[in-house]
Amino acid sequence: MKLTAHPLVCRDAVELVSDYLEGALPRRQRRRLERHLAGCPHCSTYLEQMRQTIAASGSVGPDDLAPEALDDLVELFRRFRDTPDESL
Amino acid sequence: MVGDYHGAVTDVELLERMLAGDERAFAQLVTRYNSTLIRVARYYVASDATAEDVAQETWVAVLRGAANFEGRSSFKTWLFHILANRARSIGTREHRMIVVDPTDRSGALAQRFDEGGTWSEPPVPFTDAIDEAMVNERILRLVREAIARLPEPHQAVVTLRDVEGLSTKEVSDLLELSEANVRVILHRGRTRVRADVESSLQGGGA
């Protein structure tokens, strides 16, 4: 990304969105992006979708665990609990 | 709030109950973390079967080492470090050789702009047409599925940063990537997940 004084185009703006949400953009880049967003409803929609995506990612929770896999590990736990020195 | 899906009982409470011999507490920790352990192991090792073995070895190490856990880091950071050490010791992947080109464009998205770089096919808000709560439920499912489809290293980075809520620095330490590279990979992963959700919502697909 070149640090020019030109206004951002949409194609470049979307590449900055993730770093923007991470708070990882240098101030100058951040202000260029914010100027662009102020006048671009499409990129604002894109930013909002990225926010929603990240928020949803934080709520997805773990994948389902196969019952056999859980049983195996619990069995391991029992062996360890009952004979900690020799079982594992 | 990132990573708050685990509910009211904290990891450390479960760990204490586990140390007191409560197998349900151990089962809860396994349920919380085993799928993530397998995913992150997959960053290092070449097969799902090996990744499952590494996850199992990690639990053995947790059982052995739990009494010495001092809480200087969070339980999950400690757990992921045990996993990373195990996985690295048997990992066949040359993960240090991951090359990240920060100037590379985000795939399919590039086709949605005209020659001047302005949207020719702009994004449609996720929450337009339908009831918002329903959409959110659907987005959640689509995001879960899209993350599961991500290739490595994107899947490990998105899982650790956005699903588990680790900091960029912690992800960088665990995966032995620079923070700049973590951010580039995170950006690409998130870009794909957003695009997947968008196309599913538009296409009326699952």
Side-chain angles (χ1 to χ4, degrees), chain B residues 28 34 39 58 69 74 77 90 102 141 158 164 175 183 195 205:
Chain B
Q28 264 184 278
N34 203 53
R39 261 186 204 182
T58 301
F69 173 68
S74 69
T77 303
I90 61 160
R141 183 166 56 80
V158 169
E164 292 297 339
L175 302 183
R183 280 196 293 271

Side-chain angles (χ1 to χ4, degrees), chain A residues 7 20-21 23 26 32-33 36 44 51 69 73 81 83 85-86:
Chain A
Y20 177 66
L21 294 173
R32 278 180 86 210
L33 178 61
H36 179 85
S44 298
R51 274 208 184 99
L73 285 164
R81 181 186 56 193
T83 50
D85 295 329
E86 46 201 273

Side-chain angles (χ1 to χ4, degrees), chain B residues 50-97:
Chain B
T50 310
E52 286 166 21
D53 290 346
V54 172
Q56 176 148 352
E57 286 176 29
T58 301
W59 292 113
V60 172
V62 166
L63 291 173
R64 284 190 172 139
N68 302 320
F69 173 68
E70 290 173 346
R72 274 190 293 229
S73 63
S74 69
F75 170 76
K76 74 166 94 173
T77 303
W78 180 68
L79 179 69
F80 293 143
H81 272 286
I82 295 172
L83 176 89
N85 288 332
R86 301 262 144 187
R88 255 177 231 139
S89 68
I90 61 160
T92 50
R93 179 197 292 249
E94 293 293 321
H95 59 275
R96 282 188 190 77
M97 296 302 288

